[in-house]
Amino acid sequence: MIPACAGPVSWLALERHALGELDAARAAEVAAHLDGCAACRAAYGAIEADRRALPPLPDLALAAAARRRRARRAVAAAATALAAAAALLLVWRDREGQLDRVKGDELTLSLVRERAGDIEHDPAGFRPGDRFKVLVTCADPRPLRIDMTVRQGGAVDRPLGAAEIRCGNRVPLPGAFRLTGSGAATICVAAGGVTDCSELAAE
Amino acid sequence: MLRKAERILQNREDAGDVVQSLFVDLVERGVERVELAYLYRAVTNRCLNLIRDRRNRDRLLERQQAALRGPARVRCDDAVIGLDLLIKLSGRLDAHHMEVLVCRYLDDMSQEEIAELVGASRKTVGRRLDRIRDHVADLRESAAAGGGS
């Protein structure tokens, strides 16, 4: 059992220490405390043990994202000028080279399936035990409460509960769920009277 | 950030979702540099939003893995603040108190660190901690009396 510590070094300070972000004086204080405190040493050890040699985030990706944002703004500005009377909110997003477009209160559902570590977007079927994430595309500027249901064999289930999201392109709903059973399943999302569903056949 | 979200939510899936959605939002907004302290507050608030929503509570408790809470270096009197207590307290305390609660009893911050992080005076932080302690004591008394909460 790790003994208690009267004045522990916070997790934030430990994280900063591990990242080398503390100034020299504070870093020395933390190091001295760690020398004499088993509880804090154990916490710091957990941070160190968790460290993974992640490759640095390529600047290229950020630059490309910035370019896409600028391009989207330009497209959206042109579209708004052309369709101002319609007052539709357009959401343009880059998805694997394609632009998705959702208007007004439209709502679309897409699914991501994980099967034994393999990820498939927009699958047509499931096997018992497959894990699913639900992605929603919508354009409502207000936070949107999404009601997600799974219908299978006459039963209706809400494995993720209701979630409030900020609209965007393929926004993941919190959590994931697994499908069991041998009958086809219908996954639906609904918000503000608009519903979109996706059918999954049993494989 | 994942470690921090796991300390609060005590499950990897929801913690992963919280952190992923935060970084997606940052990328969408074109934020390329951000302070660790900002990320800390953002993760805390997003985790607390999940906890506050009654519809998530059963799922969170079902998925709870106590080991992800990590060592309890700071206790509220004798109580370790875990997910169950956090959920109960979220029904009694406002967002400001809940943030201070997480800072103190899950992130193990001192009052000075909390005051700096949340932009409040140390006195305010102290008052919020007093109120938190009162509610924790009340909940424990209710539990001991068999009345639940």
Side-chain angles (χ1 to χ4, degrees):
Chain A
M1 183 173 170
I2 296 168
C5 171
V9 179
S10 70
W11 283 98
L12 179 57
L14 290 175
E15 300 277 3
R16 282 178 165 156
H17 188 57
L19 291 168
E21 283 187 358
L22 295 177
D23 61 44
R26 179 65 179 141
E29 274 178 24
V30 170
H33 182 93
L34 291 177
D35 279 345
C37 176
C40 292
R41 211 163 44 242
Y44 189 66
I47 294 173
E48 291 282 279
D50 255 358
R51 274 191 169 182
R52 290 172 178 83
L54 291 173
L57 190 64
D59 290 341
L60 197 59
L62 286 172
R67 276 198 301 278
R68 282 199 299 275
R69 277 195 306 279
R70 283 194 293 274
R72 283 202 298 270
R73 278 190 209 115
V75 171
T80 305
L82 289 169
L88 294 174
L89 176 64
L90 305 180
V91 174
W92 298 82
R93 291 289 190 276
D94 188 351
R95 177 193 157 202
E96 294 171 356
Q98 295 180 329
L99 287 175
D100 285 352
R101 179 178 180 175
V102 177
K103 299 175 183 178
D105 60 0
E106 284 180 12
L107 179 76
T108 63
L109 152 78
S110 50
L111 294 170
V112 180
R113 184 185 70 197
E114 184 207 342
R115 176 182 293 169
D118 292 332
I119 304 295
E120 183 168 342
H121 290 261
D122 304 316
F126 77 97
R127 290 180 194 158
D130 284 351
R131 184 168 171 264
F132 290 87
K133 291 280 292 179
V134 177
L135 311 178
V136 173
T137 299
C138 53
D140 198 311
R142 300 160 299 180
L144 204 58
R145 184 162 290 278
I146 306 286
D147 184 32
M148 178 265 179
T149 55
V150 177
R151 293 195 184 91
Q152 191 179 25
V156 180
D157 191 19
R158 289 178 168 77
L160 304 183
E164 192 168 276
I165 63 166
R166 236 175 55 195
C167 280
N169 196 57
R170 295 167 72 84
V171 177
L173 296 186
F177 65 93
R178 289 185 194 281
L179 281 180
T180 55
S182 56
T186 304
I187 320 298
C188 294
V189 290
V194 182
T195 302
D196 188 34
C197 295
S198 183
E199 303 280 340
L200 289 171
E203 295 178 357
Chain B
M1 288 308 106
L2 199 52
R3 263 194 302 276
K4 173 169 167 52
E6 285 176 358
R7 262 202 309 280
I8 301 173
L9 300 174
Q10 294 181 24
N11 83 72
R12 290 188 193 279
E13 286 185 344
D14 286 287
D17 284 339
V18 162
V19 175
Q20 183 196 27
S21 69
L22 169 62
F23 280 95
V24 166
D25 282 354
L26 291 172
V27 170
E28 288 282 330
R29 284 160 43 200
V31 178
E32 293 176 11
R33 290 190 183 280
V34 62
E35 292 281 320
L36 188 56
Y38 171 88
L39 293 175
Y40 244 59
R41 290 196 75 187
V43 168
T44 296
N45 291 328
R46 282 169 187 247
C47 289
L48 290 176
N49 286 343
L50 263 190
I51 285 171
R52 235 178 254 120
D53 191 330
R54 289 175 185 278
R55 282 160 291 207
N56 294 323
R57 291 178 180 176
D58 289 344
R59 172 168 53 82
L60 290 171
L61 288 170
E62 269 174 27
R63 292 178 174 181
Q64 180 182 9
Q65 295 173 261
L68 294 175
R69 160 68 174 77
R73 291 182 294 157
V74 179
R75 294 173 184 228
C76 185
D77 295 327
D78 283 334
V80 173
I81 305 289
L83 183 64
D84 186 52
L85 200 46
L86 209 53
I87 286 174
K88 287 174 180 162
L89 288 165
S90 73
R92 293 171 163 232
L93 296 165
D94 67 17
H96 297 301
H97 285 79
M98 289 301 290
E99 185 179 17
V100 167
L101 168 74
V102 168
C103 287
R104 179 65 183 144
Y105 298 111
L106 284 132
D107 294 338
D108 303 340
M109 288 183 185
S110 66
Q111 289 194 32
E112 290 83 354
E113 282 177 295
I114 299 170
E116 188 184 339
L117 186 78
V118 304
S121 68
R122 191 181 159 184
K123 197 172 169 185
T124 301
V125 171
R127 273 202 304 269
R128 287 177 187 167
L129 287 171
D130 287 343
R131 184 145 185 248
I132 290 163
R133 273 191 289 270
D134 289 345
H135 279 285
V136 170
D138 186 46
L139 282 169
R140 295 179 80 194
E141 278 173 24
S142 300
S149 55

PDB file of all heavy atoms in Angstrom, chain A residues 13-46:
ATOM      1  N   ALA A  13       0.881  19.303 -12.399  1.00  0.00           N
ATOM      2  CA  ALA A  13       2.309  19.609 -12.231  1.00  0.00           C
ATOM      3  C   ALA A  13       3.162  18.410 -12.623  1.00  0.00           C
ATOM      4  O   ALA A  13       4.239  18.564 -13.229  1.00  0.00           O
ATOM      5  CB  ALA A  13       2.583  20.016 -10.786  1.00  0.00           C
ATOM      6  N   LEU A  14       2.675  17.205 -12.302  1.00  0.00           N
ATOM      7  CA  LEU A  14       3.434  16.002 -12.686  1.00  0.00           C
ATOM      8  C   LEU A  14       3.486  15.860 -14.210  1.00  0.00           C
ATOM      9  O   LEU A  14       4.522  15.489 -14.781  1.00  0.00           O
ATOM     10  CB  LEU A  14       2.806  14.755 -12.056  1.00  0.00           C
ATOM     11  CG  LEU A  14       2.958  14.607 -10.543  1.00  0.00           C
ATOM     12  CD1 LEU A  14       2.169  13.385 -10.039  1.00  0.00           C
ATOM     13  CD2 LEU A  14       4.418  14.476 -10.126  1.00  0.00           C
ATOM     14  N   GLU A  15       2.356  16.137 -14.841  1.00  0.00           N
ATOM     15  CA  GLU A  15       2.334  16.061 -16.313  1.00  0.00           C
ATOM     16  C   GLU A  15       3.311  17.087 -16.905  1.00  0.00           C
ATOM     17  O   GLU A  15       4.053  16.789 -17.842  1.00  0.00           O
ATOM     18  CB  GLU A  15       0.926  16.338 -16.860  1.00  0.00           C
ATOM     19  CG  GLU A  15      -0.158  15.377 -16.393  1.00  0.00           C
ATOM     20  CD  GLU A  15      -0.221  14.081 -17.205  1.00  0.00           C
ATOM     21  OE1 GLU A  15       0.624  13.907 -18.098  1.00  0.00           O
ATOM     22  OE2 GLU A  15      -1.102  13.256 -16.908  1.00  0.00           O
ATOM     23  N   ARG A  16       3.286  18.297 -16.337  1.00  0.00           N
ATOM     24  CA  ARG A  16       4.191  19.339 -16.844  1.00  0.00           C
ATOM     25  C   ARG A  16       5.642  18.959 -16.593  1.00  0.00           C
ATOM     26  O   ARG A  16       6.514  19.234 -17.418  1.00  0.00           O
ATOM     27  CB  ARG A  16       3.871  20.672 -16.160  1.00  0.00           C
ATOM     28  CG  ARG A  16       2.655  21.350 -16.731  1.00  0.00           C
ATOM     29  CD  ARG A  16       2.352  22.622 -15.983  1.00  0.00           C
ATOM     30  NE  ARG A  16       1.416  23.464 -16.709  1.00  0.00           N
ATOM     31  CZ  ARG A  16       0.645  24.372 -16.147  1.00  0.00           C
ATOM     32  NH1 ARG A  16       0.702  24.574 -14.836  1.00  0.00           N
ATOM     33  NH2 ARG A  16      -0.161  25.098 -16.861  1.00  0.00           N
ATOM     34  N   HIS A  17       5.874  18.351 -15.445  1.00  0.00           N
ATOM     35  CA  HIS A  17       7.236  17.904 -15.126  1.00  0.00           C
ATOM     36  C   HIS A  17       7.688  16.865 -16.154  1.00  0.00           C
ATOM     37  O   HIS A  17       8.814  16.922 -16.669  1.00  0.00           O
ATOM     38  CB  HIS A  17       7.249  17.323 -13.711  1.00  0.00           C
ATOM     39  CG  HIS A  17       8.620  17.009 -13.193  1.00  0.00           C
ATOM     40  ND1 HIS A  17       9.618  17.952 -13.103  1.00  0.00           N
ATOM     41  CD2 HIS A  17       9.172  15.856 -12.736  1.00  0.00           C
ATOM     42  CE1 HIS A  17      10.716  17.393 -12.622  1.00  0.00           C
ATOM     43  NE2 HIS A  17      10.471  16.123 -12.398  1.00  0.00           N
ATOM     44  N   ALA A  18       6.791  15.932 -16.457  1.00  0.00           N
ATOM     45  CA  ALA A  18       7.133  14.881 -17.426  1.00  0.00           C
ATOM     46  C   ALA A  18       7.382  15.473 -18.813  1.00  0.00           C
ATOM     47  O   ALA A  18       8.205  14.964 -19.576  1.00  0.00           O
ATOM     48  CB  ALA A  18       6.006  13.845 -17.488  1.00  0.00           C
ATOM     49  N   LEU A  19       6.685  16.567 -19.119  1.00  0.00           N
ATOM     50  CA  LEU A  19       6.847  17.206 -20.434  1.00  0.00           C
ATOM     51  C   LEU A  19       8.010  18.195 -20.468  1.00  0.00           C
ATOM     52  O   LEU A  19       8.312  18.761 -21.506  1.00  0.00           O
ATOM     53  CB  LEU A  19       5.555  17.950 -20.816  1.00  0.00           C
ATOM     54  CG  LEU A  19       4.335  17.087 -21.133  1.00  0.00           C
ATOM     55  CD1 LEU A  19       3.077  17.942 -21.212  1.00  0.00           C
ATOM     56  CD2 LEU A  19       4.533  16.315 -22.441  1.00  0.00           C
ATOM     57  N   GLY A  20       8.628  18.417 -19.280  1.00  0.00           N
ATOM     58  CA  GLY A  20       9.715  19.388 -19.212  1.00  0.00           C
ATOM     59  C   GLY A  20       9.229  20.815 -19.314  1.00  0.00           C
ATOM     60  O   GLY A  20       9.967  21.708 -19.744  1.00  0.00           O
ATOM     61  N   GLU A  21       7.972  21.057 -18.910  1.00  0.00           N
ATOM     62  CA  GLU A  21       7.385  22.389 -19.044  1.00  0.00           C
ATOM     63  C   GLU A  21       7.557  23.262 -17.804  1.00  0.00           C
ATOM     64  O   GLU A  21       7.229  24.448 -17.844  1.00  0.00           O
ATOM     65  CB  GLU A  21       5.877  22.274 -19.336  1.00  0.00           C
ATOM     66  CG  GLU A  21       5.555  21.892 -20.756  1.00  0.00           C
ATOM     67  CD  GLU A  21       4.054  21.972 -21.029  1.00  0.00           C
ATOM     68  OE1 GLU A  21       3.285  22.277 -20.107  1.00  0.00           O
ATOM     69  OE2 GLU A  21       3.680  21.722 -22.187  1.00  0.00           O
ATOM     70  N   LEU A  22       8.023  22.677 -16.708  1.00  0.00           N
ATOM     71  CA  LEU A  22       8.167  23.478 -15.482  1.00  0.00           C
ATOM     72  C   LEU A  22       9.452  24.297 -15.539  1.00  0.00           C
ATOM     73  O   LEU A  22      10.452  23.854 -16.128  1.00  0.00           O
ATOM     74  CB  LEU A  22       8.192  22.563 -14.255  1.00  0.00           C
ATOM     75  CG  LEU A  22       6.922  21.767 -13.948  1.00  0.00           C
ATOM     76  CD1 LEU A  22       7.148  20.858 -12.742  1.00  0.00           C
ATOM     77  CD2 LEU A  22       5.740  22.704 -13.687  1.00  0.00           C
ATOM     78  N   ASP A  23       9.416  25.467 -14.890  1.00  0.00           N
ATOM     79  CA  ASP A  23      10.673  26.219 -14.836  1.00  0.00           C
ATOM     80  C   ASP A  23      11.647  25.487 -13.904  1.00  0.00           C
ATOM     81  O   ASP A  23      11.253  24.572 -13.157  1.00  0.00           O
ATOM     82  CB  ASP A  23      10.433  27.667 -14.385  1.00  0.00           C
ATOM     83  CG  ASP A  23       9.837  27.763 -12.992  1.00  0.00           C
ATOM     84  OD1 ASP A  23      10.315  27.032 -12.093  1.00  0.00           O
ATOM     85  OD2 ASP A  23       8.899  28.557 -12.790  1.00  0.00           O
ATOM     86  N   ALA A  24      12.890  25.872 -13.970  1.00  0.00           N
ATOM     87  CA  ALA A  24      13.946  25.103 -13.287  1.00  0.00           C
ATOM     88  C   ALA A  24      13.688  24.986 -11.791  1.00  0.00           C
ATOM     89  O   ALA A  24      13.866  23.900 -11.201  1.00  0.00           O
ATOM     90  CB  ALA A  24      15.299  25.763 -13.560  1.00  0.00           C
ATOM     91  N   ALA A  25      13.252  26.089 -11.164  1.00  0.00           N
ATOM     92  CA  ALA A  25      13.055  26.072  -9.716  1.00  0.00           C
ATOM     93  C   ALA A  25      11.938  25.113  -9.325  1.00  0.00           C
ATOM     94  O   ALA A  25      12.084  24.298  -8.400  1.00  0.00           O
ATOM     95  CB  ALA A  25      12.730  27.487  -9.228  1.00  0.00           C
ATOM     96  N   ARG A  26      10.818  25.204 -10.056  1.00  0.00           N
ATOM     97  CA  ARG A  26       9.680  24.332  -9.742  1.00  0.00           C
ATOM     98  C   ARG A  26      10.020  22.874 -10.062  1.00  0.00           C
ATOM     99  O   ARG A  26       9.633  21.955  -9.315  1.00  0.00           O
ATOM    100  CB  ARG A  26       8.451  24.793 -10.548  1.00  0.00           C
ATOM    101  CG  ARG A  26       7.199  23.966 -10.341  1.00  0.00           C
ATOM    102  CD  ARG A  26       6.664  24.051  -8.925  1.00  0.00           C
ATOM    103  NE  ARG A  26       5.439  23.271  -8.763  1.00  0.00           N
ATOM    104  CZ  ARG A  26       5.137  22.556  -7.709  1.00  0.00           C
ATOM    105  NH1 ARG A  26       5.963  22.525  -6.659  1.00  0.00           N
ATOM    106  NH2 ARG A  26       4.007  21.880  -7.631  1.00  0.00           N
ATOM    107  N   ALA A  27      10.751  22.664 -11.145  1.00  0.00           N
ATOM    108  CA  ALA A  27      11.143  21.300 -11.514  1.00  0.00           C
ATOM    109  C   ALA A  27      12.009  20.691 -10.412  1.00  0.00           C
ATOM    110  O   ALA A  27      11.861  19.507 -10.074  1.00  0.00           O
ATOM    111  CB  ALA A  27      11.887  21.309 -12.844  1.00  0.00           C
ATOM    112  N   ALA A  28      12.886  21.512  -9.830  1.00  0.00           N
ATOM    113  CA  ALA A  28      13.756  21.006  -8.752  1.00  0.00           C
ATOM    114  C   ALA A  28      12.923  20.663  -7.517  1.00  0.00           C
ATOM    115  O   ALA A  28      13.166  19.641  -6.857  1.00  0.00           O
ATOM    116  CB  ALA A  28      14.819  22.057  -8.410  1.00  0.00           C
ATOM    117  N   GLU A  29      11.929  21.515  -7.225  1.00  0.00           N
ATOM    118  CA  GLU A  29      11.028  21.237  -6.085  1.00  0.00           C
ATOM    119  C   GLU A  29      10.297  19.915  -6.283  1.00  0.00           C
ATOM    120  O   GLU A  29      10.203  19.096  -5.368  1.00  0.00           O
ATOM    121  CB  GLU A  29       9.956  22.340  -5.993  1.00  0.00           C
ATOM    122  CG  GLU A  29      10.351  23.572  -5.204  1.00  0.00           C
ATOM    123  CD  GLU A  29       9.217  24.602  -5.244  1.00  0.00           C
ATOM    124  OE1 GLU A  29       8.042  24.232  -5.452  1.00  0.00           O
ATOM    125  OE2 GLU A  29       9.549  25.784  -5.097  1.00  0.00           O
ATOM    126  N   VAL A  30       9.773  19.747  -7.489  1.00  0.00           N
ATOM    127  CA  VAL A  30       9.013  18.522  -7.770  1.00  0.00           C
ATOM    128  C   VAL A  30       9.928  17.304  -7.670  1.00  0.00           C
ATOM    129  O   VAL A  30       9.573  16.288  -7.067  1.00  0.00           O
ATOM    130  CB  VAL A  30       8.345  18.603  -9.168  1.00  0.00           C
ATOM    131  CG1 VAL A  30       7.763  17.252  -9.592  1.00  0.00           C
ATOM    132  CG2 VAL A  30       7.245  19.668  -9.171  1.00  0.00           C
ATOM    133  N   ALA A  31      11.117  17.427  -8.237  1.00  0.00           N
ATOM    134  CA  ALA A  31      12.057  16.295  -8.205  1.00  0.00           C
ATOM    135  C   ALA A  31      12.404  15.940  -6.759  1.00  0.00           C
ATOM    136  O   ALA A  31      12.453  14.755  -6.394  1.00  0.00           O
ATOM    137  CB  ALA A  31      13.314  16.644  -9.001  1.00  0.00           C
ATOM    138  N   ALA A  32      12.622  16.972  -5.918  1.00  0.00           N
ATOM    139  CA  ALA A  32      12.959  16.717  -4.513  1.00  0.00           C
ATOM    140  C   ALA A  32      11.781  16.045  -3.807  1.00  0.00           C
ATOM    141  O   ALA A  32      11.967  15.112  -3.011  1.00  0.00           O
ATOM    142  CB  ALA A  32      13.316  18.040  -3.816  1.00  0.00           C
ATOM    143  N   HIS A  33      10.559  16.504  -4.117  1.00  0.00           N
ATOM    144  CA  HIS A  33       9.380  15.896  -3.493  1.00  0.00           C
ATOM    145  C   HIS A  33       9.251  14.433  -3.920  1.00  0.00           C
ATOM    146  O   HIS A  33       8.970  13.554  -3.086  1.00  0.00           O
ATOM    147  CB  HIS A  33       8.119  16.675  -3.881  1.00  0.00           C
ATOM    148  CG  HIS A  33       6.872  16.134  -3.241  1.00  0.00           C
ATOM    149  ND1 HIS A  33       6.388  16.628  -2.054  1.00  0.00           N
ATOM    150  CD2 HIS A  33       6.045  15.121  -3.593  1.00  0.00           C
ATOM    151  CE1 HIS A  33       5.300  15.941  -1.706  1.00  0.00           C
ATOM    152  NE2 HIS A  33       5.067  15.029  -2.640  1.00  0.00           N
ATOM    153  N   LEU A  34       9.462  14.181  -5.185  1.00  0.00           N
ATOM    154  CA  LEU A  34       9.333  12.804  -5.679  1.00  0.00           C
ATOM    155  C   LEU A  34      10.338  11.877  -5.006  1.00  0.00           C
ATOM    156  O   LEU A  34      10.040  10.708  -4.739  1.00  0.00           O
ATOM    157  CB  LEU A  34       9.515  12.764  -7.204  1.00  0.00           C
ATOM    158  CG  LEU A  34       8.401  13.408  -8.034  1.00  0.00           C
ATOM    159  CD1 LEU A  34       8.752  13.361  -9.522  1.00  0.00           C
ATOM    160  CD2 LEU A  34       7.060  12.720  -7.793  1.00  0.00           C
ATOM    161  N   ASP A  35      11.526  12.418  -4.721  1.00  0.00           N
ATOM    162  CA  ASP A  35      12.544  11.600  -4.046  1.00  0.00           C
ATOM    163  C   ASP A  35      12.055  11.097  -2.700  1.00  0.00           C
ATOM    164  O   ASP A  35      12.376   9.979  -2.284  1.00  0.00           O
ATOM    165  CB  ASP A  35      13.826  12.428  -3.838  1.00  0.00           C
ATOM    166  CG  ASP A  35      14.659  12.455  -5.114  1.00  0.00           C
ATOM    167  OD1 ASP A  35      14.378  11.619  -6.007  1.00  0.00           O
ATOM    168  OD2 ASP A  35      15.561  13.306  -5.214  1.00  0.00           O
ATOM    169  N   GLY A  36      11.265  11.938  -2.017  1.00  0.00           N
ATOM    170  CA  GLY A  36      10.876  11.582  -0.653  1.00  0.00           C
ATOM    171  C   GLY A  36       9.439  11.130  -0.494  1.00  0.00           C
ATOM    172  O   GLY A  36       8.995  10.910   0.635  1.00  0.00           O
ATOM    173  N   CYS A  37       8.693  11.014  -1.574  1.00  0.00           N
ATOM    174  CA  CYS A  37       7.264  10.708  -1.436  1.00  0.00           C
ATOM    175  C   CYS A  37       6.880   9.547  -2.355  1.00  0.00           C
ATOM    176  O   CYS A  37       6.828   9.701  -3.579  1.00  0.00           O
ATOM    177  CB  CYS A  37       6.415  11.938  -1.768  1.00  0.00           C
ATOM    178  SG  CYS A  37       4.653  11.596  -1.742  1.00  0.00           S
ATOM    179  N   ALA A  38       6.584   8.409  -1.749  1.00  0.00           N
ATOM    180  CA  ALA A  38       6.267   7.217  -2.540  1.00  0.00           C
ATOM    181  C   ALA A  38       4.947   7.373  -3.293  1.00  0.00           C
ATOM    182  O   ALA A  38       4.814   6.874  -4.420  1.00  0.00           O
ATOM    183  CB  ALA A  38       6.210   5.999  -1.627  1.00  0.00           C
ATOM    184  N   ALA A  39       3.970   8.074  -2.679  1.00  0.00           N
ATOM    185  CA  ALA A  39       2.657   8.212  -3.327  1.00  0.00           C
ATOM    186  C   ALA A  39       2.788   9.011  -4.623  1.00  0.00           C
ATOM    187  O   ALA A  39       2.240   8.635  -5.668  1.00  0.00           O
ATOM    188  CB  ALA A  39       1.675   8.895  -2.384  1.00  0.00           C
ATOM    189  N   CYS A  40       3.512  10.121  -4.548  1.00  0.00           N
ATOM    190  CA  CYS A  40       3.671  10.953  -5.747  1.00  0.00           C
ATOM    191  C   CYS A  40       4.584  10.277  -6.767  1.00  0.00           C
ATOM    192  O   CYS A  40       4.392  10.419  -7.974  1.00  0.00           O
ATOM    193  CB  CYS A  40       4.205  12.337  -5.367  1.00  0.00           C
ATOM    194  SG  CYS A  40       2.997  13.299  -4.436  1.00  0.00           S
ATOM    195  N   ARG A  41       5.558   9.538  -6.254  1.00  0.00           N
ATOM    196  CA  ARG A  41       6.448   8.798  -7.170  1.00  0.00           C
ATOM    197  C   ARG A  41       5.634   7.761  -7.946  1.00  0.00           C
ATOM    198  O   ARG A  41       5.847   7.548  -9.132  1.00  0.00           O
ATOM    199  CB  ARG A  41       7.559   8.143  -6.366  1.00  0.00           C
ATOM    200  CG  ARG A  41       8.848   8.018  -7.145  1.00  0.00           C
ATOM    201  CD  ARG A  41      10.072   7.755  -6.292  1.00  0.00           C
ATOM    202  NE  ARG A  41       9.893   6.767  -5.259  1.00  0.00           N
ATOM    203  CZ  ARG A  41      10.007   7.027  -3.944  1.00  0.00           C
ATOM    204  NH1 ARG A  41      10.308   8.240  -3.533  1.00  0.00           N
ATOM    205  NH2 ARG A  41       9.840   6.084  -3.049  1.00  0.00           N
ATOM    206  N   ALA A  42       4.679   7.130  -7.256  1.00  0.00           N
ATOM    207  CA  ALA A  42       3.837   6.136  -7.938  1.00  0.00           C
ATOM    208  C   ALA A  42       2.984   6.813  -9.016  1.00  0.00           C
ATOM    209  O   ALA A  42       2.813   6.273 -10.117  1.00  0.00           O
ATOM    210  CB  ALA A  42       2.944   5.427  -6.922  1.00  0.00           C
ATOM    211  N   ALA A  43       2.455   8.001  -8.690  1.00  0.00           N
ATOM    212  CA  ALA A  43       1.640   8.729  -9.683  1.00  0.00           C
ATOM    213  C   ALA A  43       2.501   9.132 -10.881  1.00  0.00           C
ATOM    214  O   ALA A  43       2.094   8.970 -12.039  1.00  0.00           O
ATOM    215  CB  ALA A  43       1.019   9.966  -9.030  1.00  0.00           C
ATOM    216  N   TYR A  44       3.689   9.629 -10.600  1.00  0.00           N
ATOM    217  CA  TYR A  44       4.590  10.026 -11.689  1.00  0.00           C
ATOM    218  C   TYR A  44       4.995   8.800 -12.519  1.00  0.00           C
ATOM    219  O   TYR A  44       5.109   8.865 -13.747  1.00  0.00           O
ATOM    220  CB  TYR A  44       5.829  10.721 -11.111  1.00  0.00           C
ATOM    221  CG  TYR A  44       6.705  11.351 -12.161  1.00  0.00           C
ATOM    222  CD1 TYR A  44       6.249  12.419 -12.921  1.00  0.00           C
ATOM    223  CD2 TYR A  44       7.984  10.865 -12.404  1.00  0.00           C
ATOM    224  CE1 TYR A  44       7.046  12.997 -13.898  1.00  0.00           C
ATOM    225  CE2 TYR A  44       8.795  11.441 -13.371  1.00  0.00           C
ATOM    226  CZ  TYR A  44       8.323  12.506 -14.122  1.00  0.00           C
ATOM    227  OH  TYR A  44       9.105  13.072 -15.085  1.00  0.00           O
ATOM    228  N   GLY A  45       5.188   7.681 -11.813  1.00  0.00           N
ATOM    229  CA  GLY A  45       5.533   6.437 -12.505  1.00  0.00           C
ATOM    230  C   GLY A  45       4.442   6.029 -13.483  1.00  0.00           C
ATOM    231  O   GLY A  45       4.716   5.509 -14.559  1.00  0.00           O
ATOM    232  N   ALA A  46       3.177   6.290 -13.084  1.00  0.00           N
ATOM    233  CA  ALA A  46       2.060   5.942 -13.980  1.00  0.00           C
ATOM    234  C   ALA A  46       2.120   6.780 -15.254  1.00  0.00           C
ATOM    235  O   ALA A  46       1.827   6.295 -16.345  1.00  0.00           O
ATOM    236  CB  ALA A  46       0.733   6.166 -13.257  1.00  0.00           C
TER     237      ALA A  46
END
